[in-house]
Amino acid sequence: MKAIVIGAGIAGLVVARQLGLAGWEVELLEKSPGPRRDGYMMDFFGPGVEASERIGLYARLAAAAYRVQAVEYVDPAGRKTARLDYRKFSRLAGGKVLSLLRPDIERAALDALDDVPAGRVRIHYRAQATRMRVENHGVSVTVNGSPDAQVDADVLIGADGIHSGVRADLFGLERQYLRPLGMRAAAFIAPDAELHARFENRFVLTDSIGRTAGFYGVGTNEVAAFLVYRDSPEHLDGPGSDSPRERLRREFTGLGASVDRLLDLCPEHPYDDIVAQILMPTWTRRRVVLVGDASGAVSLLAGQGGSLAIAGAALLGEILGPVDTPGDITPALVAFEQRWRPVVEAAQASGRRAASTFLPANRAQRFLRRWVIRGTAVPGIDRLVARQILRSIAT
């Protein structure tokens, strides 16, 4: 049995590994030139913890995790306005909460391909799928527009993210399924030893209205920046629009000396995209299935994107099964969607609720957030919040 997986992100790498371990041949196609370097910090918890333990990936993730001690909000002068003890809440939530940069999750999944017998999973970077055909007997993908570069397989798995090309070609245009949540998120990593020393082991956020900038020390002398701001039609890329770097400078200048320094370090083309979800009536079409953000992006506000990517990909690999007992492809894909859709939809509902409060719209909302965070230091309230974490894990 042979699979084509399009997209070498978290979901694509994990499903390729699991199928390879089950004896499948896998062609993994990724249009980018190599693994991504930039990305924001993610709280890894929930379904992905159990799944990563089951498939032997958790130890690699734990080894790459950052030891965040606290989440702090600061005003433009750098004064702390609220603080959350991150280690305490990790313990209250069972201790299985990891802080990971998205590229580190992908790197762990990429390294885990070493567990697969040589030759079963082949990764092709700079490989753009330009034509896809689905027949009763199989699927075929043309790569980089060359008729000589056609790959045939038994199943096609679209794991190419929220702006999925597989989804656009075989399920319909993006606008049918994209649900924006009213904001944009940007992220980049830049070298700065002084800022790294200042923010190591702390996740610091600006206590601001309508926008927030976050930063934390990574590596040995680098700082990761994470910026979220309200979306508007003027942010659309096109003739006369700002470049992403200029847009971020306009939105975030004045939030403090550290933020201004990070803006000076911002690369010309940082990651900058809408915060949105993907809502679809079906994730499968004959021998094609979408997984990860391609089918059910929950948004960064749900806090489980990486976790769900791993858990969903692991489940898909298990349902497709080993090649010595192959089943009918289409019923297997339908069974995957039936089992996994309720989990994704619950996380999406959580993300939509969070969208209404993530960026305070006025001083009153900001004041309320401060006191909610300060209240978590009170015995009893901390356990109440931990129960909310555990309830989200259970979903």
Side-chain angles (χ1 to χ4, degrees), residues 184 230-238 240-242 247 250-251:
R184 298 183 68 91
R230 297 198 181 279
D231 199 11
S232 68
E234 66 189 44
H235 293 148
L236 295 175
D237 294 328
S241 63
D242 291 337
R247 180 189 308 151
R250 187 185 69 243
E251 292 285 341

Side-chain angles (χ1 to χ4, degrees), residues 311-331:
L315 177 62
L316 178 58
E318 291 165 7
I319 289 179
L320 285 173
V323 295
D324 56 355
T325 58
D328 190 354
I329 293 293
T330 300

Side-chain angles (χ1 to χ4, degrees), residues 272-288:
D272 180 40
D273 203 354
I274 58 172
V275 176
Q277 296 182 340
I278 294 295
L279 305 179
M280 299 183 69
T282 181
W283 303 341
T284 64
R285 181 188 172 199
R286 295 159 69 184
R287 291 175 174 267
V288 181

Side-chain angles (χ1 to χ4, degrees), residues 13 34 48 81 109 138 145 209 212 215 247 271 273 298 326 342 360 362 374-375:
L13 289 165
T81 60
I209 296 172
T212 189
F215 23 89
R247 180 189 308 151
Y271 167 84
D273 203 354
V298 298
N362 51 53
R374 290 171 183 173

Side-chain angles (χ1 to χ4, degrees), residues 175-197:
R175 64 173 178 265
Q176 299 179 56
Y177 311 119
L178 189 73
R179 178 170 177 167
L181 297 181
M183 58 195 82
R184 298 183 68 91
F188 61 89
I189 297 174
D192 192 297
E194 180 182 346
L195 289 178
H196 175 274

